[in-house]
Amino acid sequence: MEPPIERYEPAAGIRLYRFGVRAFPGLETMVHLILAPGFAVLVDTGSGFGDSNDDLQAGLGLIASRFGEPSRVEDLTHILVSHGHIDHFGGLSHLRERCTAHVVLHELDLPVVTRYAERLEITAGRLEAFLKRAGASQATRTGLLEMYRITKGLIRGAAVDTVVEGGQGEIGPLRLTHYPGHCPGLMTVRVGGILLTSDLVLPRTSPHQSPEELAPYTGLDHYLASLRRLRREPPPRLALGGHEEPMLDLHARIDEIEQLHARRLAEVLEFLKEEHTLSEISFELFGPVQGYHVLLALEEAGAHTEFLLQRGYVGGVNASALGESTCGAARYRRLPTRGWSGLPPSPEL
Ligand SMILES: [Zn+2]
Ligand SMILES: [Zn+2]
């Protein structure tokens, strides 16, 4: 059976095609192709793992045969990587060997895409320290780090031709805007009445958060500030995320995600009436989880606790939490000096 291809006309003379690729078992990533006079821009490449490259080439071929478009890999003029997560850029090295398209990326994700192996090591080291301070057992830490290295080790980095610096960029009719938080260099793409939100806003999943202590320009602080900035933009006719189905009401979805984080922050504060480690906070928020989800849950709990620590709602109660030692698990507790009355406004970041 042929995979479904979505087709849109975001503005006169511009066509936008969208289809999913199997990035990892259980994870479909959406790729977008925008065709305008002189431009054939692919936004995101899938993971390069398993069936992903085949799905990508089949989808592009299908657009050519079904719609008569110049959409094959060799026709691409540009490849835009929306952000430096492997389910979005992992297929880049495969594509680079098959076309001469100009590769565009935000500067804050340049190190992870172009010097991938080195970044893997740096992040693994930070992750190890994070897991120790989170109170994860030796066995959990070893298991998670092994999983991290195996998954990420499947991917190769690739060269980039143009970096977008600062907050804005463009490729022909595409307007790129930088929104850090979920990933340091995430960019949305506006073309006519359509906004590609990448993993900044998704229709069903709340985009993953990790603490800024693991990577600068991530953290809940940056993410919520980005959501608020996006909320001030005129709403698009249609929003298309990096996963899942199209979104008709972007602002309503932003409100839902903000409310979810507000509830989660309140939950952490309530739980920290007694002192706890990040592992315990993670269990309180997400219950028992398995495999790679243990790491994702710890990172999410870490992002929320960090947000509260930064604003003085919560304090560390032992040397490890106060940054004086990295030997043991850090423990946190709610501070009585600051009352919680809902999500505080984010600073302009
Ligand atoms: Zn992502
Ligand atoms: Zn993603």
Side-chain angles (χ1 to χ4, degrees):
M1 203 184 79
E2 289 183 338
I5 307 263
E6 298 167 31
R7 182 183 191 277
Y8 304 94
E9 289 186 22
I14 302 179
R15 289 90 66 208
L16 190 159
Y17 294 89
R18 179 177 204 250
F19 59 94
V21 301
R22 288 167 286 176
F24 291 104
L27 181 71
E28 183 184 55
T29 296
M30 305 309 289
V31 297
H32 300 85
L33 175 72
I34 297 146
L35 299 170
F39 291 90
V41 186
L42 180 71
V43 181
D44 288 342
T45 70
S47 67
F49 171 76
D51 300 306
S52 185
N53 288 333
D54 287 346
D55 286 359
L56 178 61
Q57 268 174 269
L60 293 175
L62 207 54
I63 296 168
S65 59
R66 194 185 292 172
F67 300 97
E69 297 281 17
S71 65
R72 298 188 193 279
V73 172
E74 56 273 23
D75 298 321
L76 298 175
T77 61
H78 295 78
I79 300 170
L80 171 69
V81 174
S82 74
H83 68 292
H85 284 166
I86 56 178
D87 52 323
H88 297 261
F89 82 82
L92 185 58
S93 58
H94 175 84
L95 288 175
R96 283 224 78 137
E97 290 163 7
R98 286 160 182 80
C99 70
T100 55
H102 203 77
V103 177
V104 183
L105 175 79
H106 192 270
E107 57 182 341
L108 291 177
D109 283 345
L110 190 65
V112 69
V113 172
T114 56
R115 296 159 76 189
Y116 183 69
E118 180 189 309
R119 285 294 291 211
L120 194 66
E121 282 313 305
I122 294 171
T123 309
R126 282 191 195 152
L127 211 51
E128 194 166 5
F130 169 73
L131 291 172
K132 217 180 241 185
R133 293 196 336 112
S137 69
Q138 176 69 57
T140 303
R141 295 201 307 263
T142 310
L144 286 176
L145 282 166
E146 221 173 83
M147 227 181 298
Y148 175 83
R149 282 179 199 276
I150 290 171
T151 313
K152 307 270 171 168
L154 299 168
I155 307 300
R156 279 184 296 147
V160 167
D161 302 299
T162 300
V163 290
V164 174
E165 296 171 346
Q168 306 282 337
E170 58 182 54
I171 305 172
L174 282 62
R175 300 283 167 267
L176 319 178
T177 308
H178 177 225
Y179 289 104
H182 168 74
C183 187
L186 186 145
M187 290 186 293
T188 61
V189 178
R190 193 178 275 264
V191 52
I194 293 184
L195 183 74
L196 305 185
T197 59
S198 185
D199 288 358
L200 175 62
V201 184
L202 298 171
R204 278 179 279 128
T205 306
S206 164
H208 178 62
Q209 304 299 316
S210 59
E212 199 171 5
E213 71 170 280
L214 286 175
Y217 291 95
T218 63
L220 196 57
D221 211 0
H222 282 99
Y223 179 70
L224 291 174
S226 285
L227 280 191
R228 287 189 181 180
R229 187 153 53 86
L230 178 62
R231 187 81 167 69
R232 287 199 295 271
E233 295 291 316
R237 188 159 50 79
L238 186 72
L240 304 171
H243 306 273
E244 306 171 350
E245 63 277 2
M247 293 170 276
L248 288 171
D249 190 342
L250 178 67
H251 283 187
R253 183 56 189 147
I254 292 174
D255 292 345
E256 281 176 7
I257 295 174
E258 277 184 346
Q259 285 157 17
L260 178 139
H261 288 300
R263 278 198 307 276
R264 204 168 270 171
L265 288 166
E267 218 180 313
V268 173
L269 270 180
E270 181 63 27
F271 187 57
L272 287 179
K273 280 181 176 165
E274 288 174 23
E275 63 179 65
H276 287 290
T277 64
L278 274 189
S279 286
E280 291 161 351
I281 297 168
S282 170
F283 191 84
E284 174 70 11
L285 291 175
F286 305 108
V289 283
Q290 298 296 322
Y292 208 64
H293 289 282
V294 176
L295 178 60
L296 297 180
L298 280 171
E299 287 181 345
E300 191 86 28
H304 286 79
T305 307
E306 182 183 77
F307 184 92
L308 294 167
L309 272 163
Q310 284 167 342
R311 287 167 171 74
Y313 290 103
V314 159
V317 293
N318 62 353
S320 194
L322 297 168
E324 290 162 20
S325 148
T326 51
C327 302
R331 292 196 307 280
Y332 306 96
R333 189 178 185 129
R334 180 172 188 168
L335 296 174
T337 43
R338 203 135 193 229
W340 173 259
S341 56
L343 204 58
S346 311
E348 293 297 320
L349 297 169

